[in-house]
Amino acid sequence: MSALFDLTGRVAFVTGAASGLGHAMAEGFAEHGALVVMADMDEAGLAKAAERLTLRNLSVETQRLDVRDAASVRLAIAEAARRHGRLDVVCANAGVTGGAPISDEAGHIENISLDTWNNVIAVNQTGVFVTLQAAAAVMKPQGFGRIIVTASISGMRVSDVSGYPYTVTKAAVIHLVHLAAVELAPYGILVNGVAPGPFMTNIAGGRMFTDAERVKSMGASTLLNRVAHPNELKGLALLLASDAGSFITGQVIPIDGGSTAK
Ligand SMILES: NC(=O)c1ccc[n+]([C@@H]2O[C@H](COP(=O)([O-])OP(=O)(O)OC[C@H]3O[C@@H](n4cnc5c(N)ncnc54)[C@H](O)[C@@H]3O)[C@@H](O)[C@H]2O)c1
């Protein structure tokens, strides 16, 4: 059974790997034998995150990368594949919040600045699109690949706690997963998404989790009455990256403590 989840000899590339969910996925893959290229625009955070893993003798490399820079994304992914002779798993995970929730006046539609809108789209939507383009370019010729997009339950149904730009980008990448899965299936490339509910990360500069009342109310939105630790994403990501997930494609799987069941 454990062979199904073994990533020995596989190479993974994870964006937004310095922190939170990207870091947890990178760690989970490395713990199961993969060599992981950890990419992030936060160079100092990335160095620290990678050091923690190399101290445990896990195989990781770092790649400074801003996913808003399409040429760099293409180059970094192509170079990772060239260096290692293959690229098995790509996680398009880097993402930002932006724009107040619609429950705040600042989040009302007439108050969202185009700068905020454009930046969230550049990272969460165009950044994911370009990462998938680059992944497909190396995976098509090798006839194998696993692509995992970090969406959000905010992209599945609207709520008054997520703002316009974030919600819209997460809905867009869910459709991107479906479309790319259709196109890439004949090449042996499986494309899936994870749709997290509330996870305790540094998203929004960590501000979302400094207020105990807010954390409590985010927890109360789940059936389990709590927010999740980033490590709780590892199992689902490993399923989608490994042979255990060989018949799963075109799915966006909520991992949300049951929030979307209500
Ligand atoms: N935390 C949650 O509750 C939650 C819920 C649903 C979805 N998500 C999604 O999970 C993903 C990861 O977020 P997180 O919660 O781990 O937050 P995080 O802030 O802890 O980690 C995000 C990482 O992405 C990096 N990043 C941001 N912009 C980048 C860019 N332009 N180029 C490269 N790297 C960049 C940051 O430096 C950071 O290391 C995001 O797509 C987010 O929307 C998070």
Side-chain angles (χ1 to χ4, degrees):
M1 184 68 180
S2 61
L4 283 176
F5 295 94
D6 186 14
L7 295 180
T8 304
R10 309 265 170 101
V11 180
F13 189 103
V14 181
T15 69
S19 172
L21 303 184
H23 184 257
M25 288 191 281
E27 184 175 54
F29 298 156
E31 285 169 343
H32 287 78
L35 182 150
V36 184
V37 183
M38 301 171 67
D40 204 289
M41 65 184 288
D42 172 6
E43 210 166 356
L46 187 59
K48 269 195 216 142
E51 192 187 0
R52 273 198 300 276
L53 303 189
T54 45
L55 283 172
R56 294 179 50 211
N57 290 323
L58 299 176
S59 293
V60 298
E61 292 176 356
T62 58
Q63 171 72 57
R64 198 213 160 266
L65 185 66
D66 184 336
V67 298
R68 291 169 295 188
D69 179 349
S72 306
V73 173
R74 293 193 186 110
L75 187 65
I77 288 182
E79 277 297 302
R82 190 197 52 76
R83 269 198 315 279
H84 301 293
R86 60 190 291 152
L87 187 56
D88 303 284
V89 182
V90 170
C91 293
N93 165 79
V96 291
T97 53
I102 59 168
S103 50
D104 292 357
E105 202 177 333
H108 292 180
I109 196 159
E110 67 277 22
N111 296 329
I112 304 291
S113 79
L114 266 189
D115 281 351
T116 301
W117 173 265
N118 287 334
N119 185 54
V120 179
I121 298 229
V123 180
N124 293 10
Q125 191 171 318
T126 312
V128 169
F129 175 66
V130 168
T131 304
L132 263 61
Q133 279 189 314
V138 299
M139 289 172 174
K140 274 183 173 179
Q142 71 186 12
F144 177 85
R146 299 295 173 88
I147 297 175
I148 302 170
V149 171
T150 307
S152 166
I153 56 168
S154 302
M156 298 179 128
R157 63 177 200 194
V158 298
S159 78
D160 57 5
V161 297
S162 294
Y164 280 96
Y166 186 80
T167 302
V168 170
T169 59
K170 292 301 180 180
V173 297
I174 288 173
H175 239 46
L176 178 60
V177 165
H178 296 150
L179 195 58
V182 172
E183 191 222 319
L184 299 177
Y187 299 91
I189 304 168
L190 310 186
V191 187
N192 292 290
V194 295
F199 275 70
M200 180 92 73
T201 67
N202 290 314
I203 194 110
R207 289 185 302 279
M208 276 165 69
F209 300 102
T210 47
D211 173 356
E213 274 311 303
R214 194 162 174 201
V215 174
K216 205 170 153 195
S217 102
M218 282 192 284
S221 71
T222 76
L223 301 186
L224 303 179
N225 202 26
R226 65 177 177 84
V227 302
H229 186 279
N231 284 346
E232 295 183 83
L233 182 60
K234 281 183 180 176
L236 176 57
L238 186 61
L239 170 68
L240 297 175
S242 66
D243 291 347
S246 58
F247 204 53
I248 306 174
T249 194
Q251 305 306 310
V252 178
I253 302 174
I255 176 157
D256 64 351
S259 307
T260 46
K262 286 206 263 187

